[in-house]
């Protein structure tokens, strides 16, 4: 079946720099995308979401970009902090009540 | 914000034991709850979708007789791993969603079968 995947399993970023985490999805019918942050031993924490009728959405220190032409999703974290260390998952779904499918995850490592 | 509580957070038991995990939505009515399993360094794999008052819908490859799901109220769903064996050891995570709201996740249950 179709699934959401990720380009890089691990990303190391200098503290204070911006982080960009990428995600490729294969289901062109997906119309809702979510980024989650998972810290060790915890459940995923909602970061930001975007619908397919948008190509950009901003939150506090985070921005999600959606390129439907190439089926690519990215999460940008501004001024990366030590507390941003976690595994980040993109996920896709049909709408907010439907099940969502998780990608493989990218571990973000912050360098001092 | 919305809070989903899972209990217990960790279980260690002998092979052959049945284990029940509870998932509660604390401040909203969860019309739908989802159960996921996560192996180390892997992503979350959806096991089943649970709607209040109806039978759960299981994903392909998930044994419904092995993983019993009950969603008796709008705030509680339970997952029972029956006759658990070492290969069932995993991190089990639930999520809950209400109407027009994103999924909110519990903090998971680490199940270890000896």
């Amino acid at each position: 079946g179709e699934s959401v995947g990720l380009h890089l399993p691990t990303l190391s970023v200098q503290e204070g720099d911006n982080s960009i985490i990428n995600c490729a999805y294969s289901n062109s019918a997906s119309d809702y995308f979510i980024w989650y942050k998972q810290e060790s031993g915890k459940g995923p924490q909602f970061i930001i979401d975007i619908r397919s009728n948008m190509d950009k959405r901003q939150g506090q220190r985070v921005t999600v970009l959606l390129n439907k032409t190439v089926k690519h999703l990215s999460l940008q974290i501004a001024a990366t902090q030590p507390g941003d260390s976690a595994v980040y998952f993109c996920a896709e779904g049909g709408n907010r009540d439907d099940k969502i499918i998780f990608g493989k995850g990218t571990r973000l490592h912050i360098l001092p | 914000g919305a809070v989903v509580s899972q209990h217990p957070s960790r279980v260690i038991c002998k092979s052959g034991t049945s284990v029940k995990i509870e998932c509660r939505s604390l401040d909203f009515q969860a019309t739908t709850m989802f159960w996921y399993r996560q192996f180390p360094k892997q992503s979350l794999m959806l096991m089943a979708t649970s709607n209040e008052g109806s039978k759960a819908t299981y994903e392909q490859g998930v044994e419904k007789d092995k993983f019993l799901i009950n969603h008796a109220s709008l705030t509680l769903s339970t997952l029972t791993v029956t006759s658990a064996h070492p290969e069932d050891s995993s991190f089990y995570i639930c999520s809950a969603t209400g109407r027009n709201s994103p999924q909110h996740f519990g903090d998971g249950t680490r199940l270890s079968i000896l």
Side-chain angles (χ1 to χ4, degrees), chain A residues 20-89:
Chain A
I20 300 176
I21 302 171
N22 295 304
C23 177
Y25 65 95
S26 56
N27 186 354
S28 56
S30 294
D31 63 0
Y32 178 55
F33 303 89
I34 319 102
W35 280 101
Y36 287 95
K37 171 185 180 183
Q38 186 180 28
E39 296 175 295
S40 180
K42 294 188 176 181
Q45 176 187 355
F46 174 89
I47 301 174
I48 192 168
D49 59 1
I50 189 169
R51 290 203 166 276
S52 59
N53 60 353
M54 302 173 67
D55 52 20
K56 180 180 180 179
R57 194 170 184 214
Q58 288 185 295
Q60 187 177 13
R61 274 203 313 122
V62 294
T63 301
V64 54
L65 299 177
L66 175 63
N67 186 329
K68 295 179 288 292
T69 303
V70 294
K71 290 184 283 189
H72 183 267
L73 191 69
S74 69
L75 176 70
Q76 300 179 3
I77 304 173
T80 310
Q81 303 168 358
D84 294 327
S85 289
V87 177
Y88 290 81
F89 293 97

Side-chain angles (χ1 to χ4, degrees), chain B residues 95-114:
Chain B
S95 71
T97 183
R99 295 195 180 278
N100 297 315
S101 67
Q103 289 187 34
H104 297 278
F105 287 79
D107 271 343
T109 297
R110 179 135 339 256
L111 176 62
S112 299
I113 309 298
L114 306 177

Side-chain angles (χ1 to χ4, degrees), chain A residues 38 43-44 96-97 99 102-103, chain B residues 38 43 59 98 100-101 105-107:
Chain A
Q38 186 180 28
R96 284 189 159 185
D97 289 344
K99 63 183 182 183
F102 279 76
Chain B
Q38 185 179 30
S43 186
E59 294 299 301
N100 297 315
S101 67
F105 287 79
D107 271 343

Side-chain angles (χ1 to χ4, degrees), chain B residues 61-78:
Chain B
V62 178
E63 299 176 59
K64 62 180 181 180
D65 295 329
K66 174 75 172 177
F67 300 100
L68 301 179
I69 293 172
N70 183 275
H71 192 162
S73 75
L74 285 171
T75 59
L76 174 65
S77 177
T78 60

